[in-house]
Amino acid sequence: MIELENVSRDYGDGKVVHALNNVSLRVARGERLAVMGPSGSGKSTLLNLICGLDEPTAGVIKIDGVNIALLDDDTRTRLRREKIGMVFQTFNLLPTLTTVENVSLPLRLQGISRKESEIRANAMLEKVGLEGRATHRPDQLSGGERQRTAIARALIFVPPVLLADEPTGNLDSATGEDILILLDDLHFEFDTTILLVTHNVEAARHCDRILRFRDGMVVQEERLNLAQVMG
Amino acid sequence: MRTLFPILAHITWLQWRLHKLRTALTLLGIALGVAVFFAVRTANLTLLSSLTMTVEKLAGKATLQVIGGEGGLPEAVWETLKDTPGVKVAQPIIEVIANTAFEDEGNLMIVGVDMLGDRELREYQFDEGDSEVADPLVSLAQPDSILISRTFADKHNLKDGDKLPLFTSQGKKEFIVRGIFKTTGIGEVFGGQIAVMDVFNAQFIFNRGRNIDRIDLMNEPEVAVEDLKRRLHERLLSGIEVERPAARGKGIENAISAMRIGMTLASFIALLVGVFIIFNTFSISVNQRWKEIGILRALGVERSSVERMFLGEAVVMGVIGSAAGIGLGFFLAAGAERMMSDVAAKVFGYMTTQRQPIFRWDYAVASFTIGVFASLLGALMPSRAASRLNPILALHNIETRQRENVLGRTRMVSGFAMVVAGMALIRFAPLKVGLYFQFSYSLLVLLGLILLLPKLSEWTARLLRPLMDRAFGSEGVIAVDTMIQAPRRTSATVGALMIGLMFVFSTGAYVSSYQRAVSRWMDRKINPDLFIATSDMARSRTYHFSEELSRKISALPGVKRIENVRFIFLPYEGDSVALVTIEMDGWFARVSDVIEGADEAEAREKMIRGEGVLIARNFANRYTLGVGDRLRLQTPTEAFDRPIVGVIEDYTSEKGAVFLDRELYKKYWNDAAVDMIEVNLNHGADVITVKNEIQRIMKGEHRAFIYTNAEYKKWVMNLIDGFFVLNYMQVAVAIVIAALGIVNTLLISVSERKRELGVLRAIGGLRSQIRKMILLEAAAIAIVGVLIGMLAGMLNTYFMVRTAAAMIGGFTIPYRFPFWLIGIVLPMTMLIALAAAWLPARRAVNLQVVEAIGYE
């Protein structure tokens, strides 16, 4: 599903910072991968490269066999829209839009009518347990509800890949756990491949595999068995 | 505070460096506002100075001038003056703007002087090299002699002995150049387009009868000018004025006051729009520096220091912007003066001498001070908001900030109350308090609208939301939501647009209402088949037709009857009013139901018998006169005193007009000149055939402008448009300034919404969709601005047709709002807005998504 071959990402002109250094990895369809590591280890860079928001300095990134580095910006954007859902630590909802409008936004950007978009968004909101909050604006929602909205938005296209960057980082532990369970449920329902960037070991235990990063390189890989995953 | 000042100044400097474009746009906004303000004042001054200079240069060494209004003075007055003790020199003058019969038909100012005595008053320096005549001035004794300026001679390649063909009231005549005077003194007047001939010859060929236009006087050295003036007043009839030449400039200033008031009021618009730009910039700056202010406050910087930091920034911006504005304004003044001169000539008949703009330090200091004050005014509220910021709230992440609450109930109620109170004052308050006081009512309405602006913007944007959704999908919705979300950011720009567009709409509506009223009036009262005019301007003050020409025209086949119209301005109660004279029996034969407040038949009888006068409705309003009152007018012969027998609707002059029978006029004013010949045709006569026939007999003999009824009407409408062209131009500058506000707002919008735009890109928004969103935001601002501007324009039009028209012209104009104007204004504003959005959209499209998502 996701393949990285010798991917490097350098920043700066003078003193070069190697954010990712010759990383290779494969993520199978339906797999849940946790990426852990200290700040500046290259976790977020990895997500940005996979979703095509950033371009590698060297190496190949393939999504479903397509090398995204060879695509132009619009094609990459469309691929992201349809195949990759993104969830952020800070939710990144549009404050002026209601919950249902936020969730239906990717569909509207695709040119799907408001009516159909909202039907699909309401169905997704029901799946994330926000059926009563469709007309609320982000500032009227709790942190957990905002993240659920962000997840619903990320999954509105039922993308095969979900990239989650510290999705529980801004939430209390109970709410964070609810969100992780929700991700588990959605994973089982849609067979979504999940890449979860986290500092939280408990969160990582919801995944099948853990990659530990340091200084832009994979330093440890740990495969969790079902018992570990289920706690 | 003293220790803090360098740190706060440094922080401000860093902000300027960080937001170079925003700073530059703001400075440009102030500069343009001040520039228009300064340019109009400088152009006003230059125009007046130019008009006065023309009078003074022509006056030479004359210490007093005796004038009898535009109708002229009887020659007998000259005799009286010559015999008056204390008068050293008294010289009769005729002054005419005539046309040469050269191909370009250029204007030529002809001054008729008495060859024997004029040298004592005016210095003539002749180019001796060219002259074959010992004393060119003496050569004027020959009736075909003319002296011309070097400028004119060079332009037409003329030398002594050459022929100069001129259109005169007696037809085309050829003169012989018998002297060329240098381009100094009198040679400078009217851009050097000047010629001198014998006064009595000029009197004859320009149909002055036994009248002269003016007498220039010089007092004996032992008699004080003021004493002589008093002595002359005692000896002359009240209709004859004695003035110092410089004081005559004042009279001209008065005559063109309507144009000057209009220009001055319009010049405030650009400045007011500039205030909004400052307000916008500082509101945005406070918003952007929310966190910085929080940190400063948390570190112990007092509220007052925060406020002073922003106000100090405003002062510095005001100083730089105003200084640049004065430079720019001086440059613009030359163009403004040319346009004002054009209006002064076309509408008021005053010819000017072109000159460079005059730089006045007091104007520059005043404009500079107003510019700095406007900057401070614009920054006042945002600075206070910055100082009152809660440091805890300010230190929160920008995303957690609540939606701006900019319109409390108190502000809304106050705004609404101000609008209602202003409108009630316009409607019910008496007009006697003066125009500038009345203007404050309109200002009250405007202030009320400014208070209501955020709410009006929000409501309009909410109305727009479903339409934008339907038309443009999510991009449209987000564009409108951005406006709703940040009323503080958008309102100032909408406000700037509102003010500019308010004047576009209200000027357009006023012109339209006025034109409609004039058109109806012309249909009913100015309805001959053909008009023959002496000038293609509103009128010629100096060049007239003779009655002999009228007789020739009346004898043409197809012509039923002609009326001779004479139109002059004469002094009345410290102002000058129009006097229109016509053969009343002829006029009454083609109009009906024209007289108000009296029995029509009886009034007509009295008018034809010369037993009364008619007055225009605006004259009646201005001087509170009505039917039955007596009207006393000053004439150059004897006191004129007649009862007012009727009031008529009339738009001849904003100063008011008096109508009387031509025979009565000729008797009292001793003047048989004709300004316009109105031709009525026999039933079935073809208008074009008669027009061609008139053209044929006049061709090569008289310079005349012949219009059919429809052509004349169109010409009058164009003249009205021409009068307002300068106002339109000033409003255009105001809209350009408002467009700078749009650029500013959108740049800030892109910068503030970096994360939002990044998210949109991250969840699949294409670059083209982001561009569309920013362009739609600009379009939404334009639409909201146009709609609110239209509302403001509708209210201001009420002020203009009701109060301004009554105060300036005494007119009552029926309210008419031209909704078709939206069809022009909306697309144009949208185009300007979209152009203004180009740069912000580019920035938004080139946003680094990864950086934007991580942006705080």
Side-chain angles (χ1 to χ4, degrees):
Chain A
M1 179 77 224
I2 302 170
E3 287 173 79
L4 274 78
E5 289 170 27
N6 305 320
V7 172
S8 294
R9 180 64 174 105
D10 301 336
Y11 292 111
D13 294 329
K15 193 183 172 193
V16 177
V17 175
H18 304 290
L20 270 193
N21 196 356
N22 208 27
V23 171
S24 296
L25 64 91
R26 291 170 73 87
V27 185
R29 183 177 294 274
E31 189 185 0
R32 285 171 297 170
L33 177 71
V35 179
M36 298 188 74
S39 291
S41 60
K43 311 181 298 287
S44 297
T45 307
L46 177 75
L47 286 199
N48 291 337
L49 288 170
I50 293 172
C51 69
L53 287 176
D54 200 0
E55 290 175 35
T57 316
V60 174
I61 302 169
K62 288 183 181 168
I63 309 283
D64 268 350
V66 178
N67 182 355
I68 61 167
L70 298 177
L71 304 177
D72 63 37
D73 187 77
D74 278 0
T75 317
R76 218 162 49 216
T77 306
R78 284 194 188 94
L79 178 117
R80 183 164 64 240
R81 191 192 290 166
E82 290 156 19
K83 295 203 166 173
I84 304 169
M86 295 186 76
V87 178
F88 308 91
Q89 179 180 350
T90 49
F91 325 128
N92 282 338
L93 299 174
L94 269 61
T96 58
L97 302 184
T98 60
T99 306
V100 72
E101 285 172 334
N102 262 297
V103 174
S104 61
L105 189 57
L107 298 174
R108 303 290 317 272
L109 290 172
Q110 180 80 337
I112 296 168
S113 73
R114 167 179 274 269
K115 198 174 170 189
E116 192 190 331
S117 301
E118 292 198 347
I119 290 169
R120 284 167 65 176
N122 276 315
M124 190 53 80
L125 282 174
E126 206 171 314
K127 285 195 193 303
V128 298
L130 285 179
E131 52 270 38
R133 314 292 268 169
T135 54
H136 289 64
R137 290 183 194 279
D139 59 0
Q140 296 167 317
L141 301 176
S142 68
E145 287 172 330
R146 285 184 210 178
Q147 195 58 296
R148 282 168 186 270
T149 309
I151 292 169
R153 181 180 67 187
L155 294 178
I156 190 73
F157 267 107
V158 196
V161 179
L162 180 69
L163 305 180
D165 192 355
E166 299 277 10
T168 58
N170 266 0
L171 304 173
D172 61 69
S173 54
T175 313
E177 187 55 28
D178 286 348
I179 292 296
L180 292 167
I181 292 168
L182 173 66
L183 288 177
D184 288 343
D185 292 347
L186 295 169
H187 161 72
F188 289 121
E189 185 175 353
F190 299 117
D191 193 25
T192 313
T193 308
I194 296 178
L195 245 85
L196 178 74
V197 167
T198 182
H199 277 98
N200 186 340
V201 179
E202 289 306 313
R205 286 192 190 287
H206 284 259
C207 295
D208 308 311
R209 190 158 51 117
I210 300 174
L211 286 183
R212 292 188 193 278
F213 271 67
R214 183 173 296 156
D215 299 331
M217 289 185 288
V218 179
V219 292
Q220 191 189 2
E221 184 175 350
E222 182 186 349
R223 194 167 285 278
L224 303 174
N225 59 36
L226 190 61
Q228 284 173 302
V229 174
M230 300 306 285
Chain B
M1 175 62 202
R2 191 164 290 177
T3 48
L4 275 178
F5 179 76
I7 304 164
L8 297 180
H10 183 65
I11 291 172
T12 302
W13 169 243
L14 290 178
Q15 282 291 329
W16 282 31
R17 281 185 55 181
L18 191 64
H19 302 289
K20 286 190 199 82
L21 189 61
R22 188 182 78 197
T23 309
L25 289 171
T26 309
L27 289 174
L28 190 59
I30 305 170
L32 279 174
V34 172
V36 170
F37 190 72
F38 183 64
V40 166
R41 254 143 208 79
T42 303
N44 251 332
L45 172 79
T46 310
L47 174 67
L48 289 179
S49 152
S50 162
L51 289 165
T52 311
M53 191 182 86
T54 307
V55 171
E56 287 179 357
K57 292 265 181 199
L58 283 171
K61 291 179 228 162
T63 48
L64 287 172
Q65 293 187 318
V66 180
I67 45 174
E70 290 178 14
L73 298 158
E75 273 174 15
V77 176
W78 184 33
E79 299 301 328
T80 312
L81 292 181
K82 281 198 288 190
D83 297 339
T84 305
V87 173
K88 186 181 174 194
V89 183
Q91 286 299 315
I93 301 289
I94 296 275
E95 211 177 278
V96 188
I97 306 287
N99 284 91
T100 65
F102 289 134
E103 260 182 26
D104 65 355
E105 293 186 338
N107 283 331
L108 180 67
M109 178 181 272
I110 292 171
V111 185
V113 300
D114 178 27
M115 59 172 183
L116 296 174
D118 206 65
R119 201 185 283 280
E120 288 182 78
L121 282 179
R122 274 165 279 269
E123 202 176 315
Y124 295 89
Q125 291 184 324
F126 292 97
D127 282 353
E128 284 167 18
D130 291 350
S131 182
E132 292 168 10
V133 185
D135 185 346
L137 219 52
V138 173
S139 74
L140 290 182
Q142 293 168 262
D144 62 350
S145 288
I146 194 161
L147 313 177
I148 57 172
S149 76
R150 167 56 59 201
T151 314
F152 184 76
D154 288 348
K155 190 176 169 190
H156 295 280
N157 205 17
L158 292 171
K159 55 187 186 302
D160 268 348
D162 282 355
K163 285 178 181 170
L164 167 59
L166 278 180
F167 286 118
T168 73
S169 304
Q170 309 295 328
K172 190 171 98 176
K173 293 212 179 295
E174 282 191 336
F175 294 84
I176 309 289
V177 176
R178 292 214 166 85
I180 296 171
F181 47 87
K182 289 183 177 168
T183 320
T184 50
I186 194 171
E188 285 178 68
V189 173
F190 202 42
Q193 295 283 105
I194 187 163
V196 173
M197 66 167 60
D198 177 62
V199 65
F200 300 107
N201 193 21
Q203 190 185 39
F204 170 69
I205 62 169
F206 292 110
N207 199 32
R208 293 297 197 264
R210 305 294 292 167
N211 275 7
I212 45 183
D213 289 348
R214 188 178 85 223
I215 299 166
D216 286 358
L217 293 181
M218 196 196 268
N219 55 315
E220 292 285 4
E222 64 275 11
V223 180
V225 176
E226 285 306 312
D227 289 341
L228 180 60
K229 190 175 160 183
R230 254 194 309 279
R231 200 177 293 170
L232 291 171
H233 265 307
E234 285 161 14
R235 302 189 74 165
L236 297 170
L237 281 163
S238 61
I240 298 169
E241 287 183 75
V242 183
E243 291 287 359
R244 285 173 184 268
R248 278 186 62 212
K250 200 80 191 153
I252 298 171
E253 189 179 331
N254 195 19
I256 59 168
S257 61
M259 173 175 73
R260 293 176 59 242
I261 291 171
M263 291 283 293
T264 306
L265 291 182
S267 76
F268 278 100
I269 307 167
L271 204 63
L272 207 56
V273 172
V275 173
F276 271 82
I277 298 290
I278 292 281
F279 174 77
N280 192 20
T281 304
F282 277 86
S283 297
I284 286 158
S285 181
V286 170
N287 263 18
Q288 278 193 328
R289 293 158 71 181
W290 197 264
K291 207 159 203 171
E292 180 186 294
I293 297 163
I295 294 166
L296 288 173
R297 293 278 292 117
L299 290 175
V301 176
E302 308 94 324
R303 287 181 191 282
S304 57
S305 298
V306 171
E307 188 170 357
R308 275 200 286 265
M309 177 175 77
F310 280 99
L311 290 177
E313 188 180 339
V315 169
V316 175
M317 278 195 160
V319 165
I320 299 171
S322 303
I326 286 165
L328 181 65
F330 192 65
F331 175 74
L332 292 177
E337 197 270 335
R338 263 195 295 279
M339 297 181 76
M340 284 174 81
S341 301
D342 199 39
V343 175
K346 274 192 177 154
V347 180
F348 300 100
Y350 285 104
M351 293 299 177
T352 59
T353 304
Q354 279 292 318
R355 61 178 304 178
Q356 287 302 308
I358 302 163
F359 187 87
R360 277 265 296 264
W361 277 104
D362 53 344
Y363 283 17
V365 170
S367 304
F368 181 84
T369 312
I370 288 173
V372 175
F373 179 73
S375 302
L376 264 175
L377 190 72
L380 206 61
M381 275 168 64
S383 303
R384 291 191 74 186
S387 71
R388 287 174 178 184
L389 208 64
N390 180 346
I392 300 166
L393 192 70
L395 284 168
H396 267 267
N397 186 305
I398 202 155
E399 281 194 346
T400 60
R401 224 189 308 157
Q402 291 292 305
R403 211 170 78 74
E404 293 166 17
N405 183 16
V406 289
L407 194 66
R409 182 176 288 273
T410 319
R411 194 184 287 192
M412 194 165 157
V413 170
S414 315
F416 189 70
M418 283 164 92
V419 172
V420 171
M423 292 305 287
L425 282 166
I426 292 169
R427 172 70 183 84
F428 299 109
L431 292 175
K432 289 284 163 195
V433 289
L435 179 65
Y436 287 100
F437 199 83
Q438 290 274 351
F439 186 63
S440 67
Y441 305 159
S442 169
L443 214 57
L444 192 66
V445 175
L446 185 62
L447 285 174
L449 284 172
I450 290 170
L451 284 182
L452 291 173
L453 196 59
K455 209 69 194 165
L456 287 174
S457 300
E458 191 189 320
W459 287 338
T460 323
R462 282 192 194 285
L463 282 175
L464 214 56
R465 197 178 194 266
L467 298 174
M468 293 288 273
D469 186 11
R470 191 159 296 178
F472 303 105
S474 54
E475 294 96 315
V477 171
I478 293 170
V480 176
D481 280 348
T482 309
M483 283 191 71
I484 299 169
Q485 163 80 0
R488 196 190 291 274
R489 184 176 64 214
T490 330
S491 294
T493 307
V494 172
L497 265 179
M498 175 190 86
I499 300 218
L501 294 175
M502 173 178 101
F503 281 88
V504 170
F505 279 115
S506 52
T507 309
Y510 181 77
V511 173
S512 168
S513 303
Y514 186 55
Q515 282 180 330
R516 192 171 187 224
V518 170
S519 173
R520 282 192 349 214
W521 163 68
M522 287 177 74
D523 284 343
R524 291 180 57 210
K525 290 158 195 169
I526 317 272
N527 52 5
D529 300 302
L530 288 166
F531 296 82
I532 308 168
T534 52
S535 168
D536 56 346
M537 299 177 184
R539 67 194 186 105
S540 167
R541 289 173 58 248
T542 57
Y543 178 75
H544 317 292
F545 293 138
S546 65
E547 285 185 344
E548 194 194 328
L549 178 68
S550 303
R551 277 191 287 276
K552 264 191 205 170
I553 289 164
S554 65
L556 287 174
V559 174
K560 181 180 170 190
R561 189 186 66 244
I562 60 107
E563 282 103 37
N564 294 298
V565 181
R566 178 78 171 108
F567 178 96
I568 64 167
F569 269 91
L570 78 170
Y572 186 78
E573 295 202 358
D575 206 334
S576 52
V577 298
L579 180 68
V580 183
T581 65
I582 189 169
E583 288 89 353
M584 281 293 164
D585 51 346
W587 184 52
F588 286 145
R590 61 179 158 89
V591 295
S592 58
D593 293 333
V594 287
I595 298 170
E596 299 166 7
D599 178 69
E600 175 114 11
E602 193 186 332
R604 284 179 178 228
E605 292 265 318
K606 283 182 180 167
M607 284 301 292
I608 293 166
R609 288 200 303 266
E611 290 171 3
V613 296
L614 292 173
I615 57 171
R617 202 191 285 153
N618 66 332
F619 184 89
N621 290 341
R622 281 173 76 102
Y623 299 102
T624 347
L625 289 170
V627 175
D629 291 331
R630 294 195 79 84
L631 186 72
R632 288 168 194 87
L633 296 174
Q634 297 169 347
T635 86
T637 56
E638 57 186 288
F640 178 91
D641 185 347
R642 288 286 187 286
I644 296 166
V645 296
V647 176
I648 58 171
E649 184 189 8
D650 178 75
Y651 297 93
T652 304
S653 166
E654 79 281 0
K655 302 277 184 190
V658 176
F659 295 79
L660 52 98
D661 186 69
R662 182 169 167 82
E663 285 307 314
L664 197 59
Y665 170 76
K666 278 160 68 176
K667 179 183 161 199
Y668 278 86
W669 274 264
N670 199 25
D671 172 22
V674 177
D675 289 316
M676 184 177 279
I677 303 167
E678 296 184 348
V679 184
N680 305 281
L681 304 184
N682 287 319
H683 186 70
D686 180 52
V687 176
I688 302 300
T689 311
V690 179
K691 182 181 172 181
N692 291 341
E693 186 57 19
I694 294 171
Q695 260 163 348
R696 191 188 60 77
I697 64 159
M698 294 185 94
K699 193 168 192 289
E701 285 298 310
H702 294 274
R703 189 163 185 263
F705 297 85
I706 308 168
Y707 305 98
T708 63
N709 194 301
E711 286 165 347
Y712 185 69
K713 210 166 159 182
K714 197 173 161 204
W715 175 79
V716 169
M717 295 304 147
N718 287 341
L719 208 64
I720 295 172
D721 272 333
F723 183 78
F724 290 96
V725 75
L726 271 166
N727 294 47
Y728 279 130
M729 292 200 73
Q730 290 188 80
V731 170
V733 174
I735 289 171
V736 168
I737 301 176
L740 295 180
I742 297 178
V743 182
N744 235 342
T745 301
L746 292 178
L747 280 176
I748 279 70
S749 171
V750 168
S751 153
E752 278 188 353
R753 292 162 58 214
K754 236 178 188 173
R755 182 192 284 265
E756 188 179 312
L757 296 170
V759 171
L760 280 166
R761 292 275 290 123
I763 64 169
L766 302 172
R767 284 180 197 274
S768 56
Q769 289 176 309
I770 301 292
R771 184 183 296 115
K772 188 174 159 192
M773 213 172 282
I774 303 297
L775 294 179
L776 285 175
E777 189 182 338
I781 291 175
I783 294 170
V784 172
V786 168
L787 292 177
I788 299 179
M790 188 181 77
L791 171 72
M794 288 168 108
L795 299 179
N796 198 49
T797 303
Y798 187 67
F799 167 75
M800 289 179 76
V801 297
R802 180 167 178 86
T803 309
M807 297 290 295
I808 297 172
F811 296 129
T812 41
I813 300 170
Y815 184 98
R816 181 183 187 226
F817 193 80
F819 285 96
W820 55 263
L821 206 56
I822 304 167
I824 298 170
V825 173
L826 187 62
M828 282 187 71
T829 314
M830 295 265 270
L831 269 180
I832 293 171
L834 291 176
W838 176 80
L839 186 66
R842 224 178 83 152
R843 283 200 173 179
V845 163
N846 293 329
L847 201 72
Q848 294 299 317
V849 183
V850 174
E851 194 187 302
I853 294 174
Y855 166 84
E856 266 200 17

